[in-house]
Amino acid sequence: DLATGEHRWQIQADEPERQGYGRGWLAGDVVYWPTRESICVVETATGHMVREQVLRTPEEYRFGGHLVGYDGVLLVASSERLTAYGEYS
């Protein structure tokens, strides 16, 4: 809660592959939250997951990393590579 500083919700995952993996990206009224397998889009006001986008990557490469968006492109910076997702990627 921006006004009080209190936690209103948090993401918890029971399985290791569902846990956060990198820094999320706050975009308007949603947070893009990376895991090893996907990006979860979560409403900031409620903590409700709007959608989960599973990302296809080579078998040996696990997704996850720090997220940043710019001009219609989502960048994912991991320890191994920088990946761009967008309309033409």
Short mmCIF file of all heavy atoms in Angstrom, two decimals, residues 18-65:
data_model
loop_
_atom_site.label_atom_id
_atom_site.label_comp_id
_atom_site.label_asym_id
_atom_site.label_seq_id
_atom_site.Cartn_x
_atom_site.Cartn_y
_atom_site.Cartn_z
N ARG A 18 8.25 -22.26 -9.78
CA ARG A 18 7.23 -21.22 -9.80
C ARG A 18 7.65 -19.99 -8.99
O ARG A 18 6.94 -19.00 -8.97
CB ARG A 18 5.91 -21.76 -9.25
CG ARG A 18 5.41 -22.99 -9.94
CD ARG A 18 4.64 -22.70 -11.18
NE ARG A 18 3.55 -21.81 -10.85
CZ ARG A 18 3.10 -20.88 -11.66
NH1 ARG A 18 3.61 -20.73 -12.83
NH2 ARG A 18 2.12 -20.10 -11.30
N GLN A 19 8.78 -20.06 -8.32
CA GLN A 19 9.24 -18.92 -7.53
C GLN A 19 9.80 -17.84 -8.43
O GLN A 19 10.24 -18.09 -9.54
CB GLN A 19 10.30 -19.37 -6.54
CG GLN A 19 9.75 -20.31 -5.49
CD GLN A 19 10.80 -20.81 -4.53
OE1 GLN A 19 11.98 -20.57 -4.73
NE2 GLN A 19 10.36 -21.51 -3.51
N GLY A 20 9.81 -16.62 -7.92
CA GLY A 20 10.37 -15.51 -8.67
C GLY A 20 11.83 -15.76 -9.01
O GLY A 20 12.57 -16.37 -8.24
N TYR A 21 12.22 -15.30 -10.19
CA TYR A 21 13.59 -15.51 -10.65
C TYR A 21 14.05 -14.25 -11.37
O TYR A 21 13.94 -14.14 -12.58
CB TYR A 21 13.65 -16.73 -11.56
CG TYR A 21 15.03 -17.24 -11.81
CD1 TYR A 21 15.72 -17.92 -10.81
CD2 TYR A 21 15.65 -17.06 -13.03
CE1 TYR A 21 16.99 -18.39 -11.04
CE2 TYR A 21 16.93 -17.53 -13.26
CZ TYR A 21 17.59 -18.20 -12.26
OH TYR A 21 18.85 -18.67 -12.48
N GLY A 22 14.51 -13.27 -10.63
CA GLY A 22 14.90 -11.99 -11.18
C GLY A 22 14.01 -10.89 -10.64
O GLY A 22 13.12 -11.12 -9.82
N ARG A 23 14.24 -9.69 -11.10
CA ARG A 23 13.45 -8.54 -10.65
C ARG A 23 12.31 -8.29 -11.62
O ARG A 23 12.49 -8.30 -12.82
CB ARG A 23 14.33 -7.30 -10.58
CG ARG A 23 15.34 -7.42 -9.48
CD ARG A 23 16.20 -6.17 -9.43
NE ARG A 23 17.30 -6.42 -8.54
CZ ARG A 23 17.51 -5.76 -7.44
NH1 ARG A 23 16.71 -4.79 -7.08
NH2 ARG A 23 18.54 -6.04 -6.68
N GLY A 24 11.15 -8.05 -11.03
CA GLY A 24 9.98 -7.77 -11.83
C GLY A 24 9.99 -6.35 -12.38
O GLY A 24 10.90 -5.57 -12.12
N TRP A 25 8.96 -6.06 -13.15
CA TRP A 25 8.83 -4.75 -13.78
C TRP A 25 7.44 -4.21 -13.52
O TRP A 25 6.44 -4.86 -13.82
CB TRP A 25 9.10 -4.89 -15.27
CG TRP A 25 8.85 -3.66 -16.08
CD1 TRP A 25 9.31 -2.41 -15.82
CD2 TRP A 25 8.10 -3.57 -17.28
NE1 TRP A 25 8.88 -1.53 -16.80
CE2 TRP A 25 8.14 -2.23 -17.72
CE3 TRP A 25 7.39 -4.49 -18.04
CZ2 TRP A 25 7.49 -1.79 -18.85
CZ3 TRP A 25 6.76 -4.05 -19.18
CH2 TRP A 25 6.82 -2.72 -19.58
N LEU A 26 7.36 -3.04 -12.92
CA LEU A 26 6.09 -2.37 -12.62
C LEU A 26 5.70 -1.54 -13.83
O LEU A 26 6.44 -0.66 -14.27
CB LEU A 26 6.24 -1.47 -11.39
CG LEU A 26 5.03 -0.66 -10.98
CD1 LEU A 26 3.86 -1.58 -10.63
CD2 LEU A 26 5.39 0.23 -9.81
N ALA A 27 4.53 -1.86 -14.40
CA ALA A 27 4.06 -1.16 -15.61
C ALA A 27 2.60 -0.79 -15.40
O ALA A 27 1.70 -1.62 -15.55
CB ALA A 27 4.22 -2.05 -16.83
N GLY A 28 2.36 0.46 -15.02
CA GLY A 28 0.99 0.91 -14.79
C GLY A 28 0.39 0.20 -13.59
O GLY A 28 0.93 0.25 -12.50
N ASP A 29 -0.72 -0.50 -13.82
CA ASP A 29 -1.41 -1.17 -12.71
C ASP A 29 -1.11 -2.66 -12.62
O ASP A 29 -1.82 -3.41 -11.97
CB ASP A 29 -2.91 -0.93 -12.81
CG ASP A 29 -3.51 -1.46 -14.10
OD1 ASP A 29 -2.74 -1.87 -15.00
OD2 ASP A 29 -4.74 -1.48 -14.21
N VAL A 30 -0.04 -3.12 -13.29
CA VAL A 30 0.37 -4.52 -13.20
C VAL A 30 1.87 -4.64 -12.96
O VAL A 30 2.63 -3.71 -13.22
CB VAL A 30 0.00 -5.32 -14.48
CG1 VAL A 30 -1.49 -5.40 -14.68
CG2 VAL A 30 0.69 -4.76 -15.70
N VAL A 31 2.25 -5.80 -12.44
CA VAL A 31 3.66 -6.16 -12.27
C VAL A 31 3.93 -7.36 -13.17
O VAL A 31 3.15 -8.33 -13.17
CB VAL A 31 3.97 -6.55 -10.80
CG1 VAL A 31 5.39 -7.10 -10.68
CG2 VAL A 31 3.76 -5.38 -9.88
N TYR A 32 4.99 -7.30 -13.93
CA TYR A 32 5.46 -8.45 -14.70
C TYR A 32 6.48 -9.15 -13.83
O TYR A 32 7.50 -8.56 -13.45
CB TYR A 32 6.09 -7.99 -16.02
CG TYR A 32 5.08 -7.46 -17.00
CD1 TYR A 32 4.57 -6.17 -16.87
CD2 TYR A 32 4.63 -8.25 -18.04
CE1 TYR A 32 3.64 -5.68 -17.77
CE2 TYR A 32 3.69 -7.77 -18.95
CZ TYR A 32 3.20 -6.48 -18.80
OH TYR A 32 2.28 -6.01 -19.69
N TRP A 33 6.19 -10.42 -13.47
CA TRP A 33 6.99 -11.14 -12.50
C TRP A 33 7.63 -12.36 -13.15
O TRP A 33 6.92 -13.27 -13.58
CB TRP A 33 6.11 -11.57 -11.32
CG TRP A 33 6.88 -12.14 -10.20
CD1 TRP A 33 6.93 -13.46 -9.83
CD2 TRP A 33 7.72 -11.44 -9.29
NE1 TRP A 33 7.76 -13.60 -8.75
CE2 TRP A 33 8.26 -12.38 -8.40
CE3 TRP A 33 8.07 -10.10 -9.16
CZ2 TRP A 33 9.13 -12.02 -7.38
CZ3 TRP A 33 8.94 -9.76 -8.14
CH2 TRP A 33 9.45 -10.71 -7.28
N PRO A 34 8.97 -12.42 -13.25
CA PRO A 34 9.61 -13.55 -13.93
C PRO A 34 9.78 -14.76 -13.02
O PRO A 34 10.06 -14.63 -11.83
CB PRO A 34 10.98 -12.98 -14.30
CG PRO A 34 11.28 -12.00 -13.20
CD PRO A 34 9.94 -11.40 -12.84
N THR A 35 9.58 -15.93 -13.59
CA THR A 35 9.93 -17.19 -12.96
C THR A 35 10.91 -17.89 -13.90
O THR A 35 11.27 -17.35 -14.94
CB THR A 35 8.70 -18.10 -12.72
OG1 THR A 35 8.25 -18.61 -13.98
CG2 THR A 35 7.59 -17.35 -12.01
N ARG A 36 11.32 -19.09 -13.58
CA ARG A 36 12.23 -19.82 -14.46
C ARG A 36 11.57 -20.26 -15.76
O ARG A 36 12.24 -20.52 -16.73
CB ARG A 36 12.80 -21.04 -13.74
CG ARG A 36 13.76 -20.69 -12.64
CD ARG A 36 14.32 -21.97 -12.02
NE ARG A 36 15.24 -21.66 -10.96
CZ ARG A 36 16.55 -21.58 -11.12
NH1 ARG A 36 17.08 -21.80 -12.30
NH2 ARG A 36 17.32 -21.29 -10.10
N GLU A 37 10.25 -20.35 -15.77
CA GLU A 37 9.53 -20.89 -16.92
C GLU A 37 8.62 -19.88 -17.61
O GLU A 37 8.17 -20.14 -18.73
CB GLU A 37 8.67 -22.07 -16.46
CG GLU A 37 9.42 -23.12 -15.67
CD GLU A 37 10.09 -24.13 -16.56
OE1 GLU A 37 9.55 -24.41 -17.63
OE2 GLU A 37 11.16 -24.64 -16.17
N SER A 38 8.29 -18.77 -16.96
CA SER A 38 7.25 -17.90 -17.50
C SER A 38 7.36 -16.49 -16.94
O SER A 38 8.20 -16.21 -16.10
CB SER A 38 5.88 -18.48 -17.16
OG SER A 38 5.69 -18.47 -15.76
N ILE A 39 6.45 -15.65 -17.43
CA ILE A 39 6.25 -14.33 -16.84
C ILE A 39 4.81 -14.27 -16.36
O ILE A 39 3.88 -14.56 -17.12
CB ILE A 39 6.49 -13.21 -17.86
CG1 ILE A 39 7.95 -13.19 -18.29
CG2 ILE A 39 6.10 -11.85 -17.27
CD1 ILE A 39 8.26 -12.17 -19.36
N CYS A 40 4.62 -13.92 -15.10
CA CYS A 40 3.29 -13.75 -14.54
C CYS A 40 2.95 -12.27 -14.55
O CYS A 40 3.79 -11.44 -14.20
CB CYS A 40 3.24 -14.27 -13.10
SG CYS A 40 3.64 -16.02 -12.97
N VAL A 41 1.73 -11.95 -14.95
CA VAL A 41 1.25 -10.57 -14.94
C VAL A 41 0.26 -10.46 -13.79
O VAL A 41 -0.76 -11.17 -13.78
CB VAL A 41 0.60 -10.19 -16.28
CG1 VAL A 41 0.16 -8.74 -16.27
CG2 VAL A 41 1.57 -10.45 -17.44
N VAL A 42 0.56 -9.60 -12.81
CA VAL A 42 -0.19 -9.53 -11.57
C VAL A 42 -0.70 -8.11 -11.34
O VAL A 42 0.05 -7.14 -11.50
CB VAL A 42 0.71 -9.95 -10.38
CG1 VAL A 42 -0.05 -9.91 -9.07
CG2 VAL A 42 1.33 -11.31 -10.62
N GLU A 43 -1.99 -7.99 -10.98
CA GLU A 43 -2.56 -6.67 -10.66
C GLU A 43 -1.91 -6.15 -9.38
O GLU A 43 -1.85 -6.86 -8.37
CB GLU A 43 -4.07 -6.78 -10.43
CG GLU A 43 -4.86 -7.05 -11.66
CD GLU A 43 -6.34 -7.17 -11.37
OE1 GLU A 43 -6.75 -7.29 -10.19
OE2 GLU A 43 -7.11 -7.15 -12.34
N THR A 44 -1.47 -4.90 -9.40
CA THR A 44 -0.81 -4.34 -8.22
C THR A 44 -1.78 -4.11 -7.07
O THR A 44 -1.41 -4.25 -5.91
CB THR A 44 -0.09 -3.02 -8.55
OG1 THR A 44 -1.03 -2.11 -9.11
CG2 THR A 44 1.04 -3.25 -9.51
N ALA A 45 -3.01 -3.76 -7.36
CA ALA A 45 -3.97 -3.43 -6.30
C ALA A 45 -4.43 -4.66 -5.52
O ALA A 45 -4.64 -4.58 -4.31
CB ALA A 45 -5.18 -2.72 -6.89
N THR A 46 -4.56 -5.80 -6.20
CA THR A 46 -5.17 -6.97 -5.58
C THR A 46 -4.25 -8.17 -5.42
O THR A 46 -4.53 -9.06 -4.63
CB THR A 46 -6.39 -7.44 -6.39
OG1 THR A 46 -5.92 -7.87 -7.69
CG2 THR A 46 -7.41 -6.33 -6.54
N GLY A 47 -3.18 -8.25 -6.22
CA GLY A 47 -2.34 -9.44 -6.23
C GLY A 47 -2.90 -10.55 -7.09
O GLY A 47 -2.35 -11.63 -7.15
N HIS A 48 -3.99 -10.27 -7.79
CA HIS A 48 -4.62 -11.26 -8.67
C HIS A 48 -3.78 -11.45 -9.93
O HIS A 48 -3.40 -10.48 -10.58
CB HIS A 48 -6.03 -10.80 -9.04
CG HIS A 48 -6.69 -11.64 -10.08
ND1 HIS A 48 -7.20 -12.88 -9.81
CD2 HIS A 48 -6.91 -11.41 -11.40
CE1 HIS A 48 -7.70 -13.39 -10.93
NE2 HIS A 48 -7.54 -12.51 -11.90
N MET A 49 -3.51 -12.73 -10.30
CA MET A 49 -2.75 -12.99 -11.51
C MET A 49 -3.67 -12.82 -12.72
O MET A 49 -4.68 -13.52 -12.85
CB MET A 49 -2.14 -14.39 -11.52
CG MET A 49 -1.22 -14.55 -12.71
SD MET A 49 -0.37 -16.14 -12.92
CE MET A 49 -0.01 -16.67 -11.31
N VAL A 50 -3.33 -11.89 -13.58
CA VAL A 50 -4.10 -11.60 -14.78
C VAL A 50 -3.84 -12.67 -15.83
O VAL A 50 -4.75 -13.17 -16.47
CB VAL A 50 -3.74 -10.21 -15.34
CG1 VAL A 50 -4.46 -9.94 -16.64
CG2 VAL A 50 -4.04 -9.14 -14.31
N ARG A 51 -2.58 -13.03 -16.00
CA ARG A 51 -2.22 -14.09 -16.94
C ARG A 51 -0.80 -14.57 -16.66
O ARG A 51 -0.03 -13.90 -15.97
CB ARG A 51 -2.38 -13.66 -18.38
CG ARG A 51 -1.31 -12.75 -18.90
CD ARG A 51 -1.48 -12.53 -20.43
NE ARG A 51 -0.42 -11.72 -20.92
CZ ARG A 51 -0.46 -10.40 -21.05
NH1 ARG A 51 -1.55 -9.76 -20.71
NH2 ARG A 51 0.56 -9.73 -21.50
N GLU A 52 -0.50 -15.71 -17.22
CA GLU A 52 0.86 -16.26 -17.15
C GLU A 52 1.27 -16.63 -18.56
O GLU A 52 0.56 -17.36 -19.25
CB GLU A 52 0.90 -17.49 -16.25
CG GLU A 52 2.29 -18.08 -16.16
CD GLU A 52 2.36 -19.26 -15.20
OE1 GLU A 52 1.30 -19.81 -14.86
OE2 GLU A 52 3.47 -19.62 -14.82
N GLN A 53 2.40 -16.11 -19.00
CA GLN A 53 2.90 -16.38 -20.33
C GLN A 53 4.11 -17.30 -20.23
O GLN A 53 5.15 -16.90 -19.73
CB GLN A 53 3.30 -15.07 -21.03
CG GLN A 53 3.83 -15.26 -22.42
CD GLN A 53 2.79 -15.81 -23.37
OE1 GLN A 53 1.68 -15.30 -23.44
NE2 GLN A 53 3.13 -16.87 -24.08
N VAL A 54 3.92 -18.55 -20.66
CA VAL A 54 5.04 -19.49 -20.69
C VAL A 54 5.89 -19.14 -21.89
O VAL A 54 5.39 -18.91 -22.99
CB VAL A 54 4.53 -20.94 -20.79
CG1 VAL A 54 5.69 -21.91 -20.91
CG2 VAL A 54 3.67 -21.27 -19.59
N LEU A 55 7.19 -19.07 -21.67
CA LEU A 55 8.11 -18.68 -22.73
C LEU A 55 8.86 -19.89 -23.26
O LEU A 55 9.31 -20.73 -22.50
CB LEU A 55 9.08 -17.63 -22.21
CG LEU A 55 8.39 -16.37 -21.73
CD1 LEU A 55 9.36 -15.47 -21.02
CD2 LEU A 55 7.75 -15.64 -22.90
N ARG A 56 8.96 -19.94 -24.55
CA ARG A 56 9.67 -21.05 -25.20
C ARG A 56 11.13 -20.66 -25.37
O ARG A 56 11.45 -19.65 -25.98
CB ARG A 56 9.04 -21.35 -26.53
CG ARG A 56 7.58 -21.71 -26.41
CD ARG A 56 7.02 -22.13 -27.75
NE ARG A 56 5.58 -22.21 -27.72
CZ ARG A 56 4.88 -23.17 -27.13
NH1 ARG A 56 5.49 -24.14 -26.51
NH2 ARG A 56 3.56 -23.17 -27.17
N THR A 57 11.99 -21.48 -24.80
CA THR A 57 13.43 -21.26 -24.91
C THR A 57 14.08 -22.61 -25.18
O THR A 57 13.46 -23.66 -24.95
CB THR A 57 14.01 -20.67 -23.61
OG1 THR A 57 13.75 -21.57 -22.54
CG2 THR A 57 13.41 -19.31 -23.29
N PRO A 58 15.32 -22.63 -25.66
CA PRO A 58 16.00 -23.91 -25.83
C PRO A 58 16.00 -24.71 -24.53
O PRO A 58 16.02 -24.15 -23.45
CB PRO A 58 17.41 -23.51 -26.23
CG PRO A 58 17.27 -22.14 -26.80
CD PRO A 58 16.14 -21.50 -26.04
N GLU A 59 15.99 -26.03 -24.67
CA GLU A 59 15.90 -26.93 -23.52
C GLU A 59 16.94 -26.63 -22.43
O GLU A 59 16.65 -26.67 -21.26
CB GLU A 59 16.06 -28.38 -23.99
CG GLU A 59 15.82 -29.41 -22.93
CD GLU A 59 14.36 -29.53 -22.52
OE1 GLU A 59 13.47 -29.22 -23.32
OE2 GLU A 59 14.13 -29.92 -21.38
N GLU A 60 18.16 -26.31 -22.85
CA GLU A 60 19.24 -26.11 -21.88
C GLU A 60 19.19 -24.74 -21.22
O GLU A 60 19.88 -24.48 -20.25
CB GLU A 60 20.60 -26.33 -22.53
CG GLU A 60 21.02 -25.24 -23.50
CD GLU A 60 20.42 -25.39 -24.91
OE1 GLU A 60 19.64 -26.32 -25.15
OE2 GLU A 60 20.72 -24.54 -25.75
N TYR A 61 18.39 -23.82 -21.74
CA TYR A 61 18.35 -22.46 -21.22
C TYR A 61 17.09 -22.26 -20.41
O TYR A 61 15.99 -22.48 -20.88
CB TYR A 61 18.40 -21.46 -22.37
CG TYR A 61 18.26 -20.03 -21.91
CD1 TYR A 61 19.24 -19.43 -21.14
CD2 TYR A 61 17.14 -19.30 -22.24
CE1 TYR A 61 19.10 -18.12 -20.71
CE2 TYR A 61 16.99 -17.99 -21.82
CZ TYR A 61 17.98 -17.41 -21.06
OH TYR A 61 17.83 -16.12 -20.62
N ARG A 62 17.24 -21.83 -19.18
CA ARG A 62 16.10 -21.52 -18.32
C ARG A 62 15.81 -20.04 -18.41
O ARG A 62 16.71 -19.22 -18.40
CB ARG A 62 16.41 -21.91 -16.87
CG ARG A 62 16.78 -23.34 -16.65
CD ARG A 62 15.65 -24.25 -17.02
NE ARG A 62 14.62 -24.20 -16.02
CZ ARG A 62 13.96 -25.24 -15.60
NH1 ARG A 62 14.23 -26.42 -16.05
NH2 ARG A 62 13.00 -25.11 -14.71
N PHE A 63 14.54 -19.71 -18.47
CA PHE A 63 14.15 -18.31 -18.49
C PHE A 63 14.35 -17.73 -17.11
O PHE A 63 14.56 -18.42 -16.15
CB PHE A 63 12.68 -18.19 -18.91
CG PHE A 63 12.22 -16.77 -18.99
CD1 PHE A 63 12.56 -16.01 -20.08
CD2 PHE A 63 11.51 -16.20 -17.97
CE1 PHE A 63 12.17 -14.68 -20.15
CE2 PHE A 63 11.11 -14.88 -18.04
CZ PHE A 63 11.44 -14.13 -19.13
N GLY A 64 14.23 -16.46 -17.01
CA GLY A 64 14.31 -15.77 -15.74
C GLY A 64 15.39 -14.73 -15.77
O GLY A 64 16.37 -14.86 -16.49
N GLY A 65 15.18 -13.68 -15.04
CA GLY A 65 16.15 -12.61 -14.99
C GLY A 65 15.44 -11.31 -14.69
O GLY A 65 14.25 -11.28 -14.37
#
